[in-house]
Amino acid sequence: MLVFIFIFLVGFGLAVSGGVTIIAYMNFLPVGVSWGDYLIFIAGRPECYLFPIGIILIAFVLFQYPNNL
């Protein structure tokens, strides 16, 4: 059970750091970068991959956690 909590917290931390990075890069939009160029840019940044990895870890824990109902 403690392993599930640890994986959940790691996933949460990764999702938060990746999400904050993606939002921070949205500051390029007012400068004149289009949405397509923005999506291509964040697809090439390794720190932006932390968000989906974190979401996958959270989903894994939520589906694997023992349900005693």
Side-chain angles (χ1 to χ4, degrees):
M1 184 167 118
L2 198 57
V3 174
F4 286 128
I5 294 171
F6 179 74
I7 294 173
F8 180 83
L9 291 176
V10 168
F12 182 77
L14 290 175
V16 167
S17 61
V20 166
T21 303
I22 290 171
I23 291 171
Y25 282 139
M26 288 183 84
N27 286 324
F28 289 142
L29 293 174
V31 181
V33 176
S34 69
W35 279 100
D37 291 337
Y38 167 74
L39 293 175
I40 291 170
F41 176 75
I42 66 168
R45 305 298 301 176
E47 62 269 14
C48 293
Y49 290 117
L50 296 176
F51 181 72
I53 292 170
I55 296 296
I56 290 170
L57 286 175
I58 292 171
F60 170 76
V61 170
L62 290 178
F63 288 121
Q64 294 298 319
Y65 191 75
N67 192 359
N68 296 328
L69 294 178

